[in-house]
Amino acid sequence: MIGGLLFDDRVATDVFAIVQPADFYHRAHREIFAQAMRLHAAGEPIDVVTLGDAARDDGHTTLVGEIAAEVYSAANVAAYARIVADWSRRRAVVTACRQAIDAAGRTDAGELIADLSARLESAGERAIGESLSWRDVLSRMVDEIERSSNAAEDGVIGVRTRIPMLDRALGGLCPQRLIVLAARPSIGKTALANQIAVNAARDGVPGGICSLEMGDAELSARAMAYHCKANLTRLLRGRDDALSAMIRGMEQDDPTPWPLHLDISTYSLTGIEARITSWKRNHGIRFAIVDHIGLVEVEGNVSTYDRVSLVSRRLKKLAKRLDIAILAVCQLNRGPERERRRPTLGDLRDSGNIEQDIDVGVFLHVDPDDLEDQPAPVQVGFLKNRTGRRGWERTPLMFDGQHQTLSERADYCDEDM
């Protein structure tokens, strides 16, 4: 295949669309091919002289000459490229299986399966993405605009959160978007994420929650406190009045059939990717919530900065690949508390490249003087929003911690009356 490139570099575009340097088994071939790609990107010809010179620092000039001497045609080079790519995927499958075998004696079975599933799926992916003609691009754009025009009058085209402020600003949880919900602890970010999930489930929209912080009992109790207007603290302590409120609420609107799925035991990034992929394949989920990304584990000894960067980047890719919305809950650093100010994008804890990866950044903030209020006024800021308005909302949401509910002020007053 490399010899075909040296014979006629007009086939380079076809080859580079199929094969990447990492697809080669031998390091020397990887390095030579990488130099060929650099020459092509720079608009330089690829032949035995230019490539031999480019490969000089790696010590492969003689090997380039030997490869060139063995090939007399560029015919069938695309077919050779597909063979190289196929064997690369086979090696990836073998590696994934060997790693699973090595880990089998010390890893939980569920996490082992999830990790292997994610690795096998990754091995099956192409090295590069889909190539579209401009005609295809325009057709997809028209289809998207048509879907938007057929949406409700309020312009919501994604999964409805049933919180007017969010739906107006975001158009709902739209597919292929990574949305970060960020706040300091105890401000209501998990309550808001759960409220969005419950509202979507009430509408019959399938979704999933990967909860790395809470168990299933606490998470479901919080959901029922919101759904049934039951006091969360009294519910968790088994008080009769709260249990009665929950029973009445469940009788009025049975939550049992909700298409909502929960994972509370997967912490690795590959496992979370596999779980969400499985939910999409088996249940057709339209959104997933990861709470929270600071607890997601990745392989290798990497810094917190690099770990969060890796998590945000792969969650964004996952949202695009599965065509779903992913809502990632994130903690802020202590800066806003110490300086008694609203948070900024830079306050994302150990943020890494998360600011670049996300499509939407929804920030919650409670003024220190209002922390003890019940309900507490929560200021909402859309500090990043690729397709909508940005800035802090004038009217706060009212956070009723007892009932795990965030409401717009008018809505809250109506309910209170």
Side-chain angles (χ1 to χ4, degrees):
M1 189 196 73
I2 295 175
L5 278 175
L6 293 169
F7 189 87
D8 184 355
D9 65 359
R10 288 176 297 181
V11 302
T13 302
D14 293 335
V15 170
F16 296 155
I18 299 170
V19 174
Q20 296 291 295
D23 289 326
F24 290 88
Y25 180 75
H26 293 291
R27 181 173 63 85
H29 293 159
R30 289 197 297 269
E31 294 173 347
I32 290 171
F33 190 75
Q35 292 292 353
M37 294 186 75
R38 293 189 187 100
L39 288 172
H40 183 71
E44 300 291 334
I46 303 172
D47 56 35
V48 66
V49 175
T50 58
L51 187 56
D53 185 61
R56 188 178 306 278
D57 290 342
D58 296 324
H60 303 318
T61 300
T62 301
L63 180 57
V64 170
E66 293 172 352
I67 292 173
E70 294 291 329
V71 179
Y72 304 97
S73 170
N76 302 321
V77 69
Y80 302 153
R82 285 190 289 272
I83 293 172
V84 173
D86 179 68
W87 278 100
S88 174
R89 288 193 292 271
R90 294 185 194 204
R91 288 195 300 273
V93 170
V94 171
T95 299
C97 292
R98 284 175 176 167
Q99 290 175 338
I101 291 171
D102 291 340
R106 61 180 185 277
T107 305
D108 173 76
E111 186 165 340
L112 183 70
I113 294 169
D115 183 69
L116 178 59
S117 175
R119 290 180 183 276
L120 292 176
E121 183 158 350
S122 176
E125 293 180 355
R126 295 175 59 85
I128 64 173
E130 179 184 12
S131 175
L132 298 172
S133 69
W134 190 243
R135 180 186 297 273
D136 294 333
V137 172
L138 291 176
S139 177
R140 291 189 179 190
M141 179 197 70
V142 171
D143 290 342
E144 185 67 25
I145 292 175
E146 185 175 346
R147 281 194 293 271
S148 299
S149 67
N150 293 332
E153 293 182 0
D154 57 8
V156 177
I157 58 176
V159 176
R160 289 183 179 276
T161 69
R162 296 295 174 185
I163 300 173
M165 178 187 295
L166 297 182
D167 286 336
R168 284 193 303 268
L170 309 182
L173 305 184
C174 295
Q176 301 191 17
R177 292 184 187 171
L178 175 60
I179 304 162
V180 157
L181 176 59
R184 288 291 297 154
S186 303
I187 298 299
K189 57 186 182 296
T190 295
L192 180 56
N194 289 347
Q195 183 173 334
I196 290 171
V198 169
N199 288 343
R202 284 171 170 172
D203 289 340
V205 178
I209 302 175
C210 291
S211 178
L212 290 79
E213 192 170 31
M214 298 182 185
D216 53 346
E218 182 178 357
L219 206 64
S220 57
R222 287 171 176 259
M224 289 303 98
Y226 165 66
H227 177 60
C228 304
K229 306 303 179 190
N231 184 295
L232 175 63
T233 302
R234 297 184 66 78
L235 185 62
L236 290 173
R237 294 177 181 175
R239 298 294 188 261
D240 290 342
D241 57 333
L243 291 172
S244 298
M246 185 182 72
I247 292 171
R248 287 194 303 271
M250 294 177 67
E251 289 175 346
Q252 293 172 4
D253 187 356
D254 183 11
T256 306
W258 287 352
L260 195 56
H261 309 276
L262 180 63
D263 184 327
I264 59 165
S265 56
T266 301
Y267 291 86
S268 69
L269 178 56
T270 52
I272 289 171
E273 290 173 313
R275 175 65 67 203
I276 294 174
T277 300
S278 173
W279 283 338
K280 173 66 175 180
R281 182 185 303 117
N282 297 322
H283 306 293
I285 65 169
R286 292 177 55 192
F287 71 94
I289 295 171
V290 179
D291 185 11
H292 60 83
I293 60 175
L295 297 177
V296 177
E297 300 171 355
V298 300
E299 295 179 352
N301 185 21
V302 298
S303 67
T304 302
Y305 180 96
D306 291 334
R307 176 175 58 81
V308 175
S309 296
L310 182 62
V311 171
S312 65
R313 189 178 311 118
R314 283 171 54 175
L315 287 181
K316 171 58 182 174
K317 290 181 179 180
L318 186 66
K320 288 185 66 177
R321 177 163 59 85
L322 299 182
D323 194 32
I324 64 172
I326 293 183
L327 177 64
V329 179
C330 182
Q331 282 198 18
L332 296 173
N333 61 36
R334 295 182 180 274
E337 278 185 5
R338 289 196 303 263
E339 300 165 21
R340 298 178 68 87
R341 59 168 173 82
R342 288 173 171 175
T344 66
L345 279 171
D347 291 312
L348 289 167
R349 172 174 286 183
D350 303 312
S351 60
N353 290 324
I354 192 171
E355 296 177 37
Q356 288 75 39
D357 296 330
I358 63 176
D359 298 288
V360 178
V362 182
F363 285 63
L364 307 181
H365 175 67
V366 175
D367 189 282
D369 295 332
D370 298 327
L371 283 173
E372 301 303 321
D373 292 351
Q374 188 61 229
V378 178
Q379 301 172 44
V380 181
F382 302 99
L383 302 193
K384 184 172 183 180
N385 192 359
R386 293 190 191 276
T387 58
R389 70 173 184 269
R390 290 179 294 174
W392 289 90
E393 292 286 325
R394 293 182 180 178
T395 305
L397 293 176
M398 305 305 294
F399 177 39
D400 179 356
Q402 293 180 346
H403 301 98
Q404 291 293 286
T405 302
L406 285 98
S407 306
E408 295 192 23
R409 188 181 295 272
D411 295 340
Y412 185 85
C413 291
D414 290 343
E415 290 173 5
D416 196 45
M417 291 172 64

